[in-house]
């Protein structure tokens, strides 16, 4: 029995270190290879030893697919390929390929240089790893080997995020990675065609949330920034370097443009400049507006946003500053925050979630006095705002995608177990498909019934089509032909052609049946009666009375003869070929019932 | 010799004019056989199919006359039977279709042949083309029932074809020709009338998506032709909504919409439950669901159609704006709801706290419906869509639905306000316009107003002006709201001083709509103090004028307000009432002599008497046909004066009055010219005194051009009269020239030209000639044969007597007539600061003008620049420079590039607007001009221009070029 097996090594009922193994049609594919932000020990990477106890990973895995550049989807890649050892192909989109190494390098620096970890992957390893990458384009069907093919769809989560369809023969799996069904200021919405996969593996971060319209949030954000700037205050927006930061930049940039504002906007340098460079390059991956206007002006070539210098923080007058990192726990954003916190005219806007223990979390929960290092107490007078800009699909979006792809079953990953439970129930209820939510290390097995394609000769098909008059999708049609199976290919051809190909002579198989009729009249008359009887019954068949006294119905021959022993019985000889088996047996059963009494006044 | 020559000229002339018809028909008879014969020989010559195809292509480039169509068709058919190459047969089939469309040709004769060749044809492409030909024939003979039936039969027969193209065409045929009446008598052979709907419906499940689409389109076509679709189609169409192909889904959405409009009140069951709902509601839900379809084409289609489903129950309608937010399985309120609550609790927004939007109550997991919630949140999705086309469609639909339901209008307000922030300007503009259209149904809350006013800072002029228009008709609920609006508008004024007029106008309406809300603000706005006199504000400050405009307009319907004014306010009122009378209304200020005298008696006379007066005075003129010349002149003068005054007093009658006055003036000029003494004296003596007559002729011509092109709403019957008048003027010109010039050669040309004009007139207005009994032209046409053969001197003589005898034609007044006018707002003209530029280089001058009642301004309105050295330059503004803010109004915002080489001193340049006209464009295209390239050229060219705005002087100073 063919089957699809799915085992999450990470992201099963959990968020972080996404890594899912899929076996389909005898091929093994690994989807994503991420790290977990919550751990600093071995648990931060997926347990690759699960894949094969001893033996090379390359022999076991046919390919690895990375959906996008976030570290929880690609963070373990150098470790996996260089330290554990994998030499097969790694597939990802072009933007991911470009941006991924930057983030990996950054991650490595923090782990090795700041935390002083040993036995971590090196810069060289990142480079070596990236050499194994094969880049794919959107909607391009990539043939991994003769049977396995993959295809990328737009996912809209971050620049270059993609969903992947993995297909072997007629079986297929779609893995969404992270995706977003509502477009934002720089990216479009995820889209997939009706590909009807056997299994859809979807993220479910917001399984129990239906979000408010994005416009309210944007408007609120702009209004707050605008008001503060008009008052002459300074706005600090702590962000992470990639993803949301670009969205907010575009948002502010266009607003500044529209409203003719003059206050400067700064972006703290570092990672960002390199990243912005890539955003400028991959215009085709952005949304409609940016794509359409880039000929006049590339939206990522910011006019109002300039690089930040440390000295600017003390400048008088209003300004807006984007600074890293996003949770105010260290670095430039914290420095600026300390400088500006004392003035009630200023404002800090937190655009994302903050982990407990960070300064960001403290101020968001309402603390107005912070104890800094060296027993300093920082009193916060500036306004603190929270804005949630998130790029995951909400419950409705997930359902929408499931509706678009029309899968046979759904598997949830990348979310919390409790929330998944709700969504699972909903999906099963509304689409009437099976839904699974395996934990890490748990295997889901889906039996499949793959359809086997059979080639049919055109002549045969046309002949058969000519017979039926009206198209009717629901009725199965009977078709006569010969199935030839030859070196794992199947062909359906007409029997004559099959005979010719195989060099066989045609044999005719004829069935003959005698039906005894109680009738004392002459053979001719009996035949006549049979003829009129059949003629009245079989309206849409061609019934003929031949001059030699026999009756034909299509190709079936009926002859009446006298019984050798019993003169009051006539024997009807019914003869038909194998091809007309259906009609022949019907006729005999009809004749066995006897003829209706003669209309004329006989005996 | 000269006489002989002349005679020859006229003889030739005669041929052209008189025997035109005959000549052409003769020519046709000659060409008829030759055309088909030429084709025949060509096709016989063709060695290969490629050659034949070439010949056919060449042949198709030239038109074929109706008379020769049949011959050509025979030749083509003959070749068709012989031809083996399908591509040539295809071309022939398509030619047959084209030919059968020829006007004046009845294609029933090729019908049999077409059906005949159809039956023997093997190639699918040719088959499809032949069916197309049948479609052309069938649509041509749409009255002939029998033929239609035959074609439908043929179509039904080929429906089972294996090629999708053939099936497509068959369905198209059925849709276009399928019989409408159900109870058509049965055919002689007993063939039952086919149920076209059933047949088409069967193909909804065809295996080919293109055929499915064609089937749905055919069904829609049936509907368009007036056949009532069965309700059973609804269920079939609903199934098609989940088709794999976007064209099918898009067409299915349309079909569902059609059925929902036909049977809005029928009841349909909800699957998997016992409940039933109205069909229109069900369809609404289904179309709403399509707003989140995978293909944007379908989304646009669905969003558009939503707007026109007005019978939907309000319960369903309101769902489209409700997404039922939740977070972590707990119900959450939307930001809109929170804003509303904050507002109604009287608290001012305190800035958001962390967790302010924390979800409240738990949601029952069973009750949450994630997909099949029908209309739920359709517009929320549509407005958030990735493609701006979908967003625009959604905004339009919102607008239409909100116009029909005020409760929905109230609800969709928040969403529209959000759209003001869209990234595409078009969408922003559209949503502002939408808001304006529904603003009668809504009252703006303060927080909403706040958001709206935020957009006033937008750098796009269109957006700001649209917003001003919106504020003009917005309802504001509180006095704080008014204050806020005023403050923001003043801010806008400070930032973009060019918006001045638009802002003043906006405040005018804001004031007159909310007098009671403005009243408590007056002391603050005028900064008056109960005890102290405050400083008198600067009268030229646009911001101060803006405030005054608001207050004065509010005071118009609030008699207590003037009591709060201080002395200088009254003075300023008097000044503004005079200088900006369109913005400042007349106030009734008791006890203020100074002001009340300035107020004109504001008694609006009833419309009827003045209109009556107009009619009467005109009739009086027309009835006096044979008064003595002196009396006629006087009467005309008086009437013209009356009409002009009436136009000034009654703005709604200004168009009619001016129009008729212009006509009377023409007549007056004509009469005066004919009264001249010069006619009685021998010609050579009056060379000088003919000035008046020729000037009159010139002036009449000018006036007639103005009458024809400067007024919108002029109908054909007026055009005839105007042209007639012009013809008279031309006759006058001819006579005057004849009298004043000595040479005969010049006269030849003029006579010929004049007669051509007459001929032209006759051709163009042949239908109207019966109305011109006894007129100049009527008589002229009677004498035409004689005129043509006579010498110029004789012609002149005849013309002169006829001019004198001709009666004064009655000018029927059109229903709606408006005079085109233009006002240049920018440049203002009074500036003393010269515009500096380097001579020899280019300087750009911003021109901003409003145009009223100009038809097709893109092609007619031009800008003229007059340089101090008398050089004039005409500039054609780009079509994109014209905006259309309202019916009959246009706005021209453009840049004019000035340049001049020899220029040293600061000088004034004059700028004005011109209306370009071309009298040939109005005349219906004559048949013999068709197909020629000359006619298209003539249409676009400019014959002359009429200045229709005051010219504005711009001071320009050149800087010496640096070497």
């Amino acid at each position: 029995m063919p089957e699809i097996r799915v085992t999450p090594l990470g992201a099963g009922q959990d968020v972080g270190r996404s890594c899912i193994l899929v076996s389909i049609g005898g091929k093994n594919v690994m989807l994503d290879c991420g790290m977990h932000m919550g751990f600093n020990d071995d648990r931060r990477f997926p347990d690759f030893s699960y894949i094969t106890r001893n033996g090379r990973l390359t022999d076991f895995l046919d390919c690895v697919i990375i959906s996008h550049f976030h570290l929880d989807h690609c963070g373990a890649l150098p470790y996996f390929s260089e330290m554990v050892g994998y030499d097969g192909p790694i597939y990802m989109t072009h933007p991911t390929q470009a941006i991924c190494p930057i983030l990996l390098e950054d991650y490595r620096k923090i782990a090795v240089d700041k935390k002083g970890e040993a036995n971590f992957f090196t810069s060289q390893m990142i480079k070596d790893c990236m050499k194994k990458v094969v880049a794919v384009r959107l909607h391009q069907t990539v043939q991994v080997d003769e049977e396995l093919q993959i295809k990328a769809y737009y996912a809209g989560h971050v620049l270059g995020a993609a969903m992947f369809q993995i297909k072997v023969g007629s079986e297929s799996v779609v893995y969404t990675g992270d995706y977003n069904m509502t477009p934002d200021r720089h990216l479009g919405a995820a889209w997939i065609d009706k590909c009807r996969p056997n299994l859809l593996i979807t993220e479910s971060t917001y399984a129990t949330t239906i979000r408010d319209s994005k416009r309210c949030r944007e408007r609120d954000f702009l209004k707050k920034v605008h008001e503060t700037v008009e008052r002459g205050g300074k706005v600090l927006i702590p962000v992470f370097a990639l993803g949301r930061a670009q969205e907010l930049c575009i948002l502010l940039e266009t607003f500044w443009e529209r409203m003719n504002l003059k206050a400067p906007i700064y972006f703290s340098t570092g990672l960002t400049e390199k990243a912005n460079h890539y955003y400028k390059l991959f215009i085709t991956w952005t949304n409609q507006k940016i794509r359409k206007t880039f000929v006049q002006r590339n939206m990522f070539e910011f006019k109002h946003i300039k690089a930040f210098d440390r000295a600017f923080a003390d400048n008088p007058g209003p300004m807006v500053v984007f600074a890293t990192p996003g949770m105010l726990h260290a670095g430039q954003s914290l420095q600026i925050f300390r400088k500006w916190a004392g003035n009630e005219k200023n404002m800090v806007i937190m655009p994302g979630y903050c982990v407990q223990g960070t300064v960001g979390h403290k101020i968001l929960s309402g603390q107005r006095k912070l104890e800094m290092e060296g027993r300093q107490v920082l009193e916060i007078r500036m306004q603190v705002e929270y804005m949630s800009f998130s790029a995951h699909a909400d419950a409705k979006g997930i359902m929408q995608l499931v509706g678009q792809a029309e899968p046979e079953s759904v598997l949830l990953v990348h979310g919390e177990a409790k929330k998944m439970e709700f969504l699972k129930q909903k999906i099963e209820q509304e689409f009437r498909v099976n839904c699974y939510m395996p934990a890490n290390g748990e295997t889901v097995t889906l039996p499949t019934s793959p359809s086997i394609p059979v080639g049919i000769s055109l002549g045969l098909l046309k002949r058969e089509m000519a017979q039926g008059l009206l198209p009717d999708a629901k009725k199965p049609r009977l078709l006569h032909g010969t199935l030839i199976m030859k070196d794992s290919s199947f062909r359906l051809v007409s029997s004559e052609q099959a005979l010719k190909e195989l060099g066989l002579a045609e044999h005719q198989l004829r069935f003959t049946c005698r039906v005894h009729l109680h009738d004392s009249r002459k053979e001719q008359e009996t035949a006549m009666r049979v003829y009129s009887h059949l003629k009245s019954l079989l309206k849409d068949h061609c019934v003929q009375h031949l001059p030699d006294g026999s009756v034909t119905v299509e190709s079936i021959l009926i002859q009446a003869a006298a019984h050798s022993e019993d003169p009051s019985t006539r024997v009807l000889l019914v003869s038909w070929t194998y091809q007309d088996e259906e009609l022949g047996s019907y006729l005999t059963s009809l004749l066995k019932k006897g003829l209706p009494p003669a209309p004329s006044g006989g005996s | 010799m000269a006489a002989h020559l002349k005679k020859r000229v006229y003889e030739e002339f005669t041929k052209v004019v008189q025997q035109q018809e005959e000549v052409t028909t003769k020519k046709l008879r000659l060409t008829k056989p030759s055309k088909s014969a030429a084709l025949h020989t060509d096709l016989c010559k063709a060695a290969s199919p490629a050659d034949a195809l070439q010949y056919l292509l060449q042949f198709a480039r030239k038109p074929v006359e109706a008379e020769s169509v049949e011959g050509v068709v025979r030749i083509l058919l003959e070749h068709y039977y012989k031809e083996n190459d399908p591509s040539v047969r295809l071309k022939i089939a398509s030619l047959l279709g084209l030919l059968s469309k020829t006007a004046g040709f009845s294609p029933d004769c090729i019908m049999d042949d077409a059906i005949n060749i159809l039956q023997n044809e093997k190639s699918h492409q040719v088959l499809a083309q032949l069916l197309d030909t049948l479609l052309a024939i069938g649509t041509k003979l749409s009255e002939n029932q029998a033929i239609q039936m035959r074609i439908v039969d043929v179509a039904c027969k080929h429906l089972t074809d294996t090629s999708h193209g053939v099936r497509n065409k068959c369905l198209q045929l059925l849709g276009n020709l399928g019989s409408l009446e159900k109870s058509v008598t049965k055919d002689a052979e007993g063939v039952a009338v086919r149920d076209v709907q059933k047949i088409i419906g069967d193909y909804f499940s065809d295996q080919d998506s293109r055929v499915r689409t064609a089937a749905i389109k055919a069904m829609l076509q049936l509907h368009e032709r007036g056949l009532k679709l069965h309700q059973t189609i609804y269920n079939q169409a609903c199934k098609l909504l989940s088709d794999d192909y976007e064209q099918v889904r898009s067409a299915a959405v349309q079909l569902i919409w059609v059925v929902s409009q036909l049977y809005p009140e029928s009841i349909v069951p909800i699957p998997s439950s016992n409940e039933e709902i109205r069909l229109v509601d069900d369809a609404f839900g289904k179309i709403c669901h399509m707003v989140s379809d995978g293909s944007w084409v379908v989304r646009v289609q669905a969003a558009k159609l939503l707007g026109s489903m007005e019978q939907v129950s309000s319960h369903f309608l309101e769902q489209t704006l409700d997404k039922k937010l939740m977070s972590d399985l707990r119900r959450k309120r939307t930001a809109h709801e929170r804003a509303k609550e904050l507002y109604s609790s009287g608290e001012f927004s305190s800035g958001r706290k962390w967790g302010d939007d924390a979800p409240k109550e738990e949601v029952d997991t069973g009750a949450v419906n994630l997909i099949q919630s029908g209309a739920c949140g359709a517009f929320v999705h549509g407005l958030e869509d990735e493609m701006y086309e979908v967003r625009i469609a959604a905004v339009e639909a919102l607008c239409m639905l909100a116009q029909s339901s005020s409760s929905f209008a109230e609800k969709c307000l928040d969403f529209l306000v959000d759209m003001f922030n869209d990234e595409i300007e078009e969408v922003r503009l559209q949503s502002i316009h939408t808001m304006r259209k529904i603003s009668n149904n809504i009252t703006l809350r303060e927080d909403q107003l706040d958001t709206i006013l935020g957009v006033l800072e937008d750098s796009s002029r269109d957006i700001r002006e649209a917003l001003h228009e919106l504020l003009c008709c917005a309802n504001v609920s509180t006095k704080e709201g008014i204050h806020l609006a005023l403050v923001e508008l003043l801010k806008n004024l400070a930032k973009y001083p060019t918006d001045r007029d638009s802002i003043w106008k906006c405040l005018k309406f804001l004031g007159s709509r909310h007098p009671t809300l403005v009243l408590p603000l007056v002391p603050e706005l005028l900064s008056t103090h109960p005890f102290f006199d405050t400083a008198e504000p600067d009268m030229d400050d646009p911001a101060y004028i803006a405030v005054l405009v608001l207050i004065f307009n509010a005071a118009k319907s609030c008699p207590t307000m003037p009591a709060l004014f201080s002395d200088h306010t009254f003075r300023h009122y008097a000044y503004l009432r005079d200088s900006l009378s369109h913005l400042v209304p007349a106030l009734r200020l008791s006890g203020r002599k100074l002001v009340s005298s300035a107020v004109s008696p504001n008694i609006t006379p009833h419309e009827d008497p003045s209109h009556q007066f107009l009619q009467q005075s005109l009739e009086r003129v027309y009835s006096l046909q044979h008064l003595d010349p002196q009396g006629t002149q006087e009467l005309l003068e008086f009437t013209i004066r009356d009409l002009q005054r009436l136009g000034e007093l009654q703005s709604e009658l200004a168009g009619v009055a001016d129009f008729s006055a212009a006509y009377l003036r023409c007549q007056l000029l004509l009469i005066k010219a004919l009264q001249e003494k010069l006619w009685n004296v021998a010609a050579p003596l009056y060379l000088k005194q003919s000035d008046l007559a020729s000037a009159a002729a010139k002036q009449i011509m000018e006036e007639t051009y103005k009458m024809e092109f400067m007024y919108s709403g002029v109908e054909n019957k007026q055009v005839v009269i105007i042209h007639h008048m012009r013809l008279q003027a031309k006759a006058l010109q001819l006579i005057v020239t004849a009298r004043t010039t000595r040479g005969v050669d010049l006269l030849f040309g003029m006579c010929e030209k004049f007669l051509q004009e007459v001929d032209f007139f006759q051709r163009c207005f042949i239908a109207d000639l019966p109305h011109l009994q006894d007129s100049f032209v009527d008589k002229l046409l009677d004498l035409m044969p004689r005129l043509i053969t006579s010498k110029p001197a004789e012609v002149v003589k005849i013309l002169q007597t006829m001019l004198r005898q001709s009666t004064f034609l009655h000018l029927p007044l059109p229903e709606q007539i408006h005079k085109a006018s233009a006002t240049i707002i920018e440049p203002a003209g009074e500036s003393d600061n010269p515009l500096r530029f380097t001579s020899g280089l280019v300087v750009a001058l911003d021109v901003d003008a409003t145009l009223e009642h100009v038809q097709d301004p893109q092609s007619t309105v031009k800008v003229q620049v007059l340089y101090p050295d008398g050089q004039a330059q005409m500039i054609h503004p780009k079509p994109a420079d014209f905006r259309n803010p309202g019916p009959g109004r246009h706005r021209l915002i453009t840049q004019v590039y000035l340049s001049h080489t020899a220029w040293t001193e600061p000088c004034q340049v004059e700028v004005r607007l011109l209306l370009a006209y071309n009298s040939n464009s109005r005349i219906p295209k004559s048949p013999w001009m068709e197909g020629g390239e000359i006619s298209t050229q003539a249409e676009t060219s400019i014959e002359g221009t009429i200045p229709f705005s005051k010219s504005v002087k711009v001071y320009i100073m050149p800087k010496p070029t640096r070497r």
Side-chain angles (χ1 to χ4, degrees), chain B residues 666-797:
Chain B
C666 290
Q667 186 64 30
L668 180 65
L669 282 167
L670 190 66
I671 292 174
K672 271 189 182 164
L674 291 172
Q675 291 302 311
E676 273 294 291
K677 282 183 208 132
L678 88 133
W679 310 113
N680 309 325
V681 192
L685 292 176
Y686 281 86
L687 281 175
K688 270 185 199 162
Q689 284 168 5
S690 62
D691 271 3
L692 188 124
S694 68
K698 215 179 263 174
Q699 207 180 336
I700 295 172
M701 302 270 274
E702 255 170 45
E703 290 277 351
T704 55
Y705 280 122
K706 272 191 195 167
M707 282 173 77
E708 187 175 351
F709 296 102
M710 264 183 70
Y711 293 86
S712 67
V714 178
E715 292 154 36
N716 205 37
K717 50 188 175 185
Q718 282 94 38
V719 177
V720 183
I721 308 277
I722 295 168
H723 273 251
H724 181 250
M725 180 55 85
R726 198 176 300 154
L727 204 61
Q728 280 175 309
K730 280 175 182 163
L732 183 66
Q733 227 168 12
L734 180 64
I735 301 165
V736 173
T737 333
R739 300 218 115 217
T740 48
T741 46
R742 268 161 208 264
V744 204
D745 299 340
L746 185 68
L747 264 185
F748 277 151
M750 281 194 75
C751 265
E752 192 172 333
K753 213 171 151 215
F754 179 73
L755 288 174
Q756 264 174 2
E757 298 268 357
V758 176
D759 182 57
F760 188 64
F761 183 88
Q762 186 192 8
R763 279 201 317 244
C764 297
F765 303 108
I766 194 116
D768 297 289
L769 282 182
H771 304 297
L772 303 176
Q773 293 277 321
D774 257 6
S775 66
F776 172 68
V777 97
D778 190 41
K779 287 176 186 159
L780 199 63
L781 287 175
D782 285 343
L783 293 173
M784 202 58 178
R786 211 181 114 203
L787 281 178
I788 284 159
T789 49
S790 8
K791 294 175 189 170
E794 228 171 297
V795 172
V796 168
K797 215 177 225 169

Side-chain angles (χ1 to χ4, degrees), chain A residues 8-25:
Chain A
L9 293 184
Q13 304 186 358
D14 184 20
V15 178
R17 61 163 190 195
S18 288
C19 183
I20 298 142
L21 291 176
V22 174
S23 308
I24 170 172

Side-chain angles (χ1 to χ4, degrees), chain B residues 850-879:
Chain B
T850 52
L851 317 170
E852 301 222 9
H853 305 297
V854 181
Q855 285 164 327
D856 189 22
Q858 278 90 339
S859 60
T860 54
V861 175
K862 314 283 170 211
V863 183
Q864 192 186 37
V865 181
L866 280 169
Y867 289 99
D869 60 350
Q871 199 181 328
Q873 192 189 358
M874 191 152 72
I875 292 131
H876 309 259
K878 292 193 290 278

Side-chain angles (χ1 to χ4, degrees), chain B residues 193-212:
Chain B
V193 171
R194 294 162 189 275
D195 183 0
V196 184
Q197 286 198 43
K198 170 86 179 54
I199 296 167
I200 296 176
D202 283 342
Y203 282 83
F204 279 5
S205 50
D206 193 274
Q207 55 172 344
D208 195 305
S209 68
R210 288 164 288 195
V211 179
R212 289 198 296 270

Side-chain angles (χ1 to χ4, degrees), chain B residues 239-298:
Chain B
K239 274 180 212 132
L240 289 173
L241 283 183
S242 50
D243 199 277
D244 282 11
Y245 291 84
E246 61 178 31
Q247 319 95 289
V248 182
R249 292 199 300 266
S250 170
V253 170
Q254 267 179 309
L255 188 59
I256 286 191
W257 177 80
V258 164
V259 179
S260 78
Q261 300 297 305
L262 286 174
Y263 306 97
E265 298 302 328
S266 3
I267 300 294
V268 288
I270 304 176
S272 73
S273 79
N274 298 330
E275 287 169 70
E276 294 181 323
I277 51 171
R278 292 161 70 219
L279 192 141
V280 66
D281 289 343
D282 191 49
F284 188 74
K286 292 215 157 74
I287 297 178
C288 280
H289 186 62
M290 297 312 277
V291 173
S292 48
D293 190 84
S295 149
W296 70 271
V297 183
V298 181

Side-chain angles (χ1 to χ4, degrees), chain A residues 196 214 219-220 258 426, chain B residues 244 352 368 384 418 459:
Chain A
R196 301 201 173 87
K214 204 164 187 101
R219 200 190 60 209
D220 256 10
R258 262 180 60 203
K426 284 289 152 200
Chain B
D244 282 11
R352 195 185 298 175
V368 181
E384 265 191 350
D418 282 347
S459 58

Side-chain angles (χ1 to χ4, degrees), chain B residues 607-624 635 638-640 642-643 646 653 656 660 664 810 813:
Chain B
E607 201 195 43
D608 267 342
S610 52
H611 200 259
Q612 233 170 6
F613 171 74
L614 180 86
Q615 289 290 351
Q616 277 169 356
S617 41
L618 285 178
E619 265 158 40
R620 201 169 57 208
V621 177
Y622 294 132
S623 62
L624 294 178
L635 181 70
F638 285 137
T639 317
I640 290 169
D642 285 354
L643 286 175
L646 183 72
L653 287 178
V656 184
S660 351
L664 296 184
H810 190 291
L813 285 182

